[in-house]
């Protein structure tokens, strides 16, 4: 369907409306809105949770993250946004490398003293 939109120059809602009518199009668009909203909420919940690990209050971290996203979307160029998100994708690859290294390196032995010094319990 993506190629269909490129060829016709029409958006997804136009293509759905032509094929299925107004009601299914409305349902898909409303559902898409709520899915996007849930995704944004999950992203900011992740920012709050991750920054609390480092001792930063969620009431400080989330507004700063929201301001950065707002500035990026409104003031940034397409190229800047692309580079930032490609960098984020590379960071996500670190999960894969961490899983591979976790097999070979005794992370529990190396990380546990850090948690014991701070009074937290490791989840590893």
């Amino acid at each position: 369907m993506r190629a269909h939109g490129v060829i016709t120059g029409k958006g997804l809602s136009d293509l759905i409306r032509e094929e299925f009518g107004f009601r299914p199009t409305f349902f898909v668009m409303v559902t898409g809105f709520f899915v996007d909203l849930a995704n944004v909420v999950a992203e900011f919940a992740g920012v709050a949770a991750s920054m609390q690990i480092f001792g930063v209050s969620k009431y400080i971290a989330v507004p700063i993250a929201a301001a950065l996203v707002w500035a990026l979307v409104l003031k940034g160029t397409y190229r800047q946004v692309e580079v930032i998100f490609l960098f984020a994708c590379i960071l996500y690859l670190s999960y894969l490398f961490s899983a591979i290294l976790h097999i070979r390196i005794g992370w529990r032995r190396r990380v546990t003293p850090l948690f014991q010094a701070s009074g937290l319990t490791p989840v590893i």
Side-chain angles (χ1 to χ4, degrees):
M1 197 159 211
R2 172 183 269 175
H4 213 26
V6 171
I7 293 169
T8 62
K10 297 178 182 177
L12 177 64
S13 61
D14 292 331
L15 295 172
I16 295 172
R17 188 175 57 246
E18 285 179 2
E19 189 70 27
F20 301 105
F22 175 76
R23 286 185 184 169
T25 303
F26 180 76
F27 175 73
V28 168
M29 292 299 113
V30 168
T31 303
F33 171 77
F34 284 114
V35 168
D36 287 342
L37 182 64
N39 187 34
V40 170
V41 169
E43 291 290 338
F44 285 117
V47 167
S50 64
M51 293 310 286
Q52 283 182 326
I53 291 173
F54 297 110
V56 179
S57 171
K58 62 185 172 188
Y59 299 112
I60 295 172
V62 171
I64 290 173
L68 289 173
V69 170
W70 177 79
L72 180 65
V73 169
L74 292 182
K75 303 292 183 184
T77 64
Y78 178 83
R79 180 75 178 145
Q80 290 171 332
V81 174
E82 181 182 38
V83 167
I84 288 171
F85 285 127
L86 284 174
F87 177 73
C89 289
I90 292 170
L91 287 179
Y92 287 138
L93 288 175
S94 67
Y95 290 121
L96 176 65
F97 297 132
S98 177
I100 292 169
L101 292 175
H102 181 69
I103 296 170
R104 297 189 183 121
I105 299 173
W107 282 107
R108 179 182 294 271
R109 183 184 63 210
R110 295 194 172 134
V111 173
T112 301
L114 298 173
F115 284 99
Q116 289 173 344
S118 65
L120 299 173
T121 306
V123 185
I124 301 174

